[in-house]
Amino acid sequence: VHRAICLGEAMIMLAAETGAPLEDVETFRRSVGGAECNVAGGLAALGVPTGWVSRLGADGFGRHVLRDLESRGVDVGGVEDDPLRPTGLYVKHTTGGRTRMHYYRSGSAAAAMDATFLDRPAVRNRLVGAELVHTTGITAAISTTAAELLDRLAALRDTLGFTLSVDLNWRPALWRDTDPAPLWRLLRAADVVLIGADEAMLFAGTSDPAELRQLLGSRSTLVVKSDAHVALALEPSGRWTEVPALTVDVVEPVGAGDAFAAGYLAGTLQGLPMEQRLRLGHLSAAAVLAVPDDHAAPPEPVVRDALLHCSDEDWA
Ligand code: KDG
């Protein structure tokens, strides 16, 4: 039985090996990315039995994604192959300290997910046993059918009783002229909402937790990661908890939010107090900030435990 299920697109990431203009880059390093599968890998690494459900092309890239996630301990039995549509790709290119993502994913196997995907026995059985289901705003953006699936997922939460966790993951490049109404519905239906302060400004025009709560309703525990690198949780009861981030030499930040989500959610499933959930989020994020990939193994259990239980002065 899985305690957590993550739902969303995984892709092959091709990281440009130099910061030269993209037209001049000859070598790319292959890795696997995708917000929800990053979280799945993070949860599994923290000892939470986790499944990732999605669709992949029946191609070599899809097989690589499966192999990679399996090797990280994620159950991929709920993944559906598509013989017609490809596995999505993205290129990550860092120049002058700034990372850009170039997506090659429209018409991908995952974009063809629709509400009936949740009725496939391999998916449905996994949702029935799960305590927590995590997805992100990226899934709402990849196609109208995927957005419909999310409405269905929220309805299923009401009958199956899992906790629905949503990370905003605002990706303007995927929305362009698309109405974000499905994303607002998803966020308002969620039990846990994770948001970065900078993306909250772009998406909602505010990063103030109290104002965000006005916009999103008070059903959820809202976790805001602020510009000052503090993570703040605002619970439905109105209780606030704040924990500063660790100081890290940042190599490349993409994926740190997913790692934070994995740490926070693992801490939640493990019944940790709020302060330690946020610390586990920061600890997991720190590991990803220090590497060029979008995911990384969290710190070893001894280091983790020491930092989870140290005093506030030793923490920051
Ligand atoms: O959060 C990290 C993701 O942005 C990255 O892994 C790729 O899923 C991705 C996306 O759509 O940007």
Side-chain angles (χ1 to χ4, degrees):
V1 173
H2 307 86
R3 298 193 66 193
I5 296 292
C6 299
L7 185 153
E9 180 164 28
M11 293 164 287
I12 290 288
M13 171 180 104
L14 299 173
E17 293 248 296
T18 72
L22 201 49
E23 50 273 44
D24 298 326
V25 178
E26 292 188 0
T27 40
F28 296 83
R29 201 176 50 81
R30 178 198 60 178
S31 179
V32 170
E36 296 87 352
C37 82
N38 293 339
V39 175
L43 283 167
L46 290 167
V48 177
T50 302
W52 171 68
V53 297
S54 189
R55 305 185 81 249
L56 285 169
D59 49 29
F61 286 149
R63 288 188 289 280
H64 178 72
V65 169
L66 283 181
R67 212 165 59 195
D68 180 71
L69 287 169
E70 268 186 311
S71 75
R72 289 191 267 149
V74 176
D75 159 62
V76 293
V79 178
E80 184 177 35
D81 278 350
D82 188 327
L84 301 176
R85 298 177 187 82
T87 301
L89 303 178
Y90 65 106
V91 170
K92 190 155 94 168
H93 184 221
T94 307
T95 32
R98 177 143 185 256
T99 297
R100 278 176 192 273
M101 314 275 267
H102 304 274
Y103 297 118
Y104 299 84
R105 70 194 305 182
S106 69
S108 69
M113 281 193 289
D114 62 20
T116 66
F117 177 76
L118 300 176
D119 298 329
R120 295 181 63 238
V123 174
R124 174 57 84 111
N125 293 340
R126 284 171 169 77
L127 294 178
V128 167
E131 285 167 60
L132 178 116
V133 176
H134 176 78
T135 188
T136 79
I138 294 169
T139 302
I142 58 176
S143 65
T144 48
T145 57
E148 285 159 18
L149 171 154
L150 294 172
D151 287 328
R152 185 73 193 289
L153 183 68
L156 274 178
R157 181 273 317 276
D158 295 336
T159 50
L160 298 180
F162 51 77
T163 296
L164 179 59
S165 160
V166 177
D167 193 322
L168 168 61
N169 277 358
W170 178 241
R171 298 287 182 273
L174 295 179
W175 288 96
R176 293 220 171 97
D177 302 320
T178 316
D179 176 8
L183 179 50
W184 280 104
R185 280 201 300 280
L186 176 69
L187 291 165
R188 288 182 178 129
D191 303 295
V192 175
V193 173
L194 296 132
I195 297 191
D198 43 358
E199 60 174 0
M201 281 305 295
L202 295 173
F203 173 68
T206 177
S207 60
D208 178 74
E211 284 178 24
L212 286 168
R213 194 169 146 126
Q214 291 272 305
L215 293 167
L216 299 177
S218 52
R219 162 182 195 119
S220 57
T221 295
L222 178 64
V223 180
V224 182
K225 297 154 282 169
S226 87
D227 299 329
H229 303 294
V230 170
L232 179 152
L234 176 54
E235 293 175 71
S237 64
R239 187 163 158 258
W240 299 67
T241 311
E242 269 187 52
V243 174
L246 299 165
T247 310
V248 189
D249 288 329
V250 178
V251 171
E252 197 279 306
V254 178
D258 303 330
F260 183 94
Y264 174 83
L265 295 172
T268 304
L269 288 168
Q270 288 159 2
L272 300 183
M274 185 57 88
E275 186 180 356
Q276 291 179 13
R277 296 180 198 177
L278 297 172
R279 281 191 181 189
L280 194 50
H282 284 313
L283 281 168
S284 304
V288 173
L289 289 169
V291 299
D293 278 355
D294 290 2
H295 58 82
E300 293 297 315
V302 270
V303 177
R304 231 152 63 203
D305 286 345
L307 283 160
L308 280 185
H309 300 290
C310 70
S311 66
D312 286 354
E313 296 73 53
D314 288 342
W315 168 262

